[in-house]
Amino acid sequence: MGLLDDLRASRRATGLRLAAPDAPTAPDDTQPALLFIPDISGFTRFIEEAGHPQAPHLIADLLEILVEANIIGLRVAEIQGDAVLFYQVGPPPPVRELVQQCRRIFLDFQNYVHLVARDSDSELSAALLETGLTLKIVVHYGRVSVAQIREFIRLLGRDVIVAHRLLKNNVSGSEYVLLTEDYLATQPAAEIARCFSWTRLQDSAAVYDYLGEIRYRYAYLTPLRLLLDETSTEAVNDDGLARRCALKVRRTLAVPAAHALRIISNFRLRPQWMEGVTAVHYDVTKAARPGTSYKLDLYRGQIDLQAVQHIVAADHIEYVEKVSHFRLFPNALLFFYVEAVDARHCLVSLEFRYGHVASTRRVVRRGQLRRTHRWLARSLRRLDAFVGARH
């Protein structure tokens, strides 16, 4: 074989390794695949108008949230400036799972945007409220070639172009899910209607140069905003009922509220009171302010945390951290509420909010929630003992 033949054979082997066991491969090396693209609407305007040094970091956080909200085992092909291209080689996922994925990714995204926007004194918050960052999602099913170009995996083919072009379409507004007829044709019509009963699917089409007419149906995601709550995280069961996704413990500490906050927000002191933490890693040259990230060695693993909010209100102090790379709890948030009881005592509430537990087994989910609740309670008891020993 010649050089080009060798390269094609290598890339073909990469595609076969990533294929599902029952995914048929055509003579042209293409395979059936789902293409799933969540795109941040208002991205360019926000970056241009925010004028805040933390604006690019917020977009990076939001892209990370899109990746961590993956609950159906999609692969990431590429991360663009304002979008993530996910794919799954093989048969298309059932529409029920796909709709759950769309709901999860939209709610996780919006809950984080709302969290940042609550700080009314922040320039970043003002820019968020002005530009209204939100999400649109494109879903397409077609055939792709999976190639390895150096260390990168790339998707090639007409259907990849179709999915990208559909980000520019005839749908008014910027908060919707768009599904091509190529995907919908693989699903039972009755099941499609049932899974979209919370909104309304509408027919449309767009014509693109060289691609011709692409027919699709779309549904606005706006009704999901009814599930957003600035004071709690909610998820939705299969029966449509909301359930609270938060674990909370409370304890009165014998220190003033301001002093408790200083201990809680001091990264260096985390191993002294947080259960299971053996070491902390952070840049000592950076102040502990919103946007600062650090790592904790927790039991036999490591999690990343980022301080995202610090609000001092008339009746309480609130400090919030985002938790990343926590395998069973993607997109989790750790809330600390400190309320003054008197001049020498304060009530500390430690709340762990999560979008979902990353396991399909109910017994695993329940067990993990119980262990996490015990972890919170033990951490708060250790914090009480730690502040008591210092005073």
Side-chain angles (χ1 to χ4, degrees):
M1 292 192 300
L3 177 60
L4 290 179
D5 292 327
D6 290 340
L7 290 173
R8 291 192 188 101
S10 174
R11 289 170 183 163
R12 175 185 170 87
T14 297
L16 292 175
R17 286 199 308 271
L18 297 174
D22 56 348
T25 302
D28 61 357
D29 293 347
T30 63
Q31 304 169 63
L34 178 83
L35 301 173
F36 184 94
I37 309 179
D39 177 81
I40 301 175
S41 301
F43 167 84
T44 303
R45 181 185 174 192
F46 173 73
I47 290 295
E48 290 297 320
E49 295 185 3
H52 193 284
Q54 289 298 322
H57 299 288
L58 174 62
I59 296 298
D61 289 345
L62 291 172
L63 289 170
E64 182 180 26
I65 281 172
L66 300 184
V67 173
E68 290 204 358
N70 173 18
I71 60 175
I72 62 173
L74 302 173
R75 294 176 179 268
V76 175
E78 57 183 299
I79 299 178
Q80 302 166 340
D82 56 355
V84 181
L85 171 59
F86 291 97
Y87 73 102
Q88 185 180 82
V89 175
V95 65
R96 178 182 61 84
E97 294 182 5
L98 190 68
V99 170
Q100 288 177 343
Q101 177 65 82
C102 291
R103 292 166 71 111
R104 178 76 274 139
I105 209 166
F106 180 79
L107 289 172
D108 283 0
F109 179 91
Q110 292 295 347
N111 275 319
Y112 191 69
V113 169
H114 280 209
L115 174 69
V116 177
R118 286 191 312 159
D119 188 356
S120 57
D121 295 329
S122 165
E123 295 177 2
L124 197 59
S125 170
L128 272 175
L129 294 173
E130 178 67 23
T131 56
L133 285 182
T134 189
L135 208 61
K136 60 184 177 185
I137 303 170
V138 167
V139 178
H140 178 53
Y141 189 69
R143 301 193 68 86
V144 303
S145 293
V146 184
Q148 182 164 353
I149 303 173
R150 292 187 181 270
E151 68 270 29
F152 304 105
I153 299 297
R154 300 289 293 181
L155 301 183
L156 308 171
R158 176 184 183 276
D159 286 302
V160 180
I161 299 172
V162 168
H164 281 293
R165 291 285 184 88
L166 283 168
L167 292 171
K168 305 294 184 182
N169 51 62
N170 299 325
V171 180
S172 61
S174 54
E175 193 169 87
Y176 56 84
V177 55
L178 181 156
L179 307 101
T180 64
E181 288 293 344
D182 292 307
Y183 170 74
L184 294 172
T186 68
Q187 305 297 310
E191 184 67 2
I192 294 172
R194 188 187 72 81
C195 292
F196 281 97
S197 60
W198 51 276
T199 184
R200 184 165 69 93
L201 274 174
Q202 303 180 61
D203 294 308
S204 190
V207 178
Y208 301 98
D209 291 342
Y210 311 112
L211 297 175
E213 182 182 65
I214 307 297
R215 299 202 60 79
Y216 56 81
R217 301 176 76 184
Y218 66 93
Y220 289 108
L221 297 169
T222 308
L224 294 179
R225 288 183 175 271
L226 297 174
L227 302 176
L228 296 175
D229 187 328
E230 292 190 358
T231 61
S232 66
T233 301
E234 301 288 339
V236 180
N237 293 319
D238 292 341
D239 58 7
L241 298 177
R243 58 180 173 82
R244 183 165 173 77
C245 288
L247 303 171
K248 187 174 183 179
V249 293
R250 309 177 77 187
R251 195 176 185 91
T252 300
L253 306 185
V255 291
H259 186 82
L261 177 68
R262 285 197 296 272
I263 293 176
I264 289 169
S265 58
N266 189 325
F267 303 155
R268 181 178 58 84
L269 297 179
R270 284 297 170 92
Q272 303 299 317
W273 62 268
M274 185 166 276
E275 177 76 10
V277 174
T278 56
V280 59
H281 311 277
Y282 65 99
D283 188 344
V284 297
T285 65
K286 294 183 179 179
R289 59 179 182 272
T292 303
S293 299
Y294 67 103
K295 298 178 183 291
L296 289 181
D297 292 342
L298 179 65
Y299 297 117
R300 290 175 294 179
Q302 188 177 79
I303 60 174
D304 293 3
L305 295 101
Q306 180 185 37
V308 296
Q309 196 165 82
H310 180 181
I311 297 177
V312 179
D315 58 344
H316 75 283
I317 303 170
E318 181 178 322
Y319 175 69
V320 187
E321 294 183 341
K322 181 168 72 73
V323 186
S324 302
H325 304 145
F326 201 168
R327 185 173 57 85
L328 285 174
F329 292 102
N331 291 331
L333 294 166
L334 197 57
F335 282 73
F336 298 88
Y337 297 95
V338 184
E339 305 168 66
V341 175
D342 55 38
R344 294 184 298 175
H345 297 81
C346 66
L347 177 65
V348 175
S349 300
L350 180 54
E351 184 171 338
F352 183 79
R353 299 185 188 177
Y354 60 96
H356 65 283
V357 185
S359 175
T360 58
R361 300 177 58 192
R362 181 175 298 181
V363 65
V364 173
R365 295 198 300 269
R366 289 180 175 175
Q368 187 63 24
L369 290 172
R370 285 195 295 268
R371 287 191 292 271
T372 303
H373 191 267
R374 287 198 299 269
W375 172 67
L376 295 174
R378 290 171 180 170
S379 294
L380 201 49
R381 286 198 297 270
R382 290 187 57 172
L383 178 62
D384 186 13
F386 179 67
V387 299
R390 289 167 60 97
H391 291 78

